Amino acid sequence: MIPESLEFCWGIVSEGTPLEGSRLVVDVLPVVVHCAPCGQDATLDGMQSFRCPRCGELCAEIRQGRELEIDSIEIDDGEVKP
Ligand SMILES: [Zn+2]
């Protein structure tokens, strides 16, 4: 699975850098396509088939699932909060 591979590799590439010991958390979003015949967006079960789950039509218009974004970065400054 790709998220597990990324998280594993993060440990290797961050070794010896200021990010050593940090944790990469990957959140996988489902692929959402737009089906023109249905006039609606549909969530796909997987990447094996880009067919609308309602009508079976092929859907090429991806509405979600291509993005690769950094959602947040948390930094612990080491200070103990009262
Ligand atoms: Zn459809």
Side-chain angles (χ1 to χ4, degrees), residues 35 38 52 54-55:
C35 176
C38 290
C52 172
R54 288 187 203 93
C55 70

Side-chain angles (χ1 to χ4, degrees), residues 54-74:
R54 288 187 203 93
C55 70
E57 193 70 31
L58 276 172
C59 302
E61 197 178 326
I62 299 172
R63 292 277 168 95
Q64 175 188 280
R66 275 185 163 159
E67 54 276 79
L68 181 61
E69 298 172 351
I70 296 173
D71 187 52
S72 67
I73 298 174
E74 289 176 31

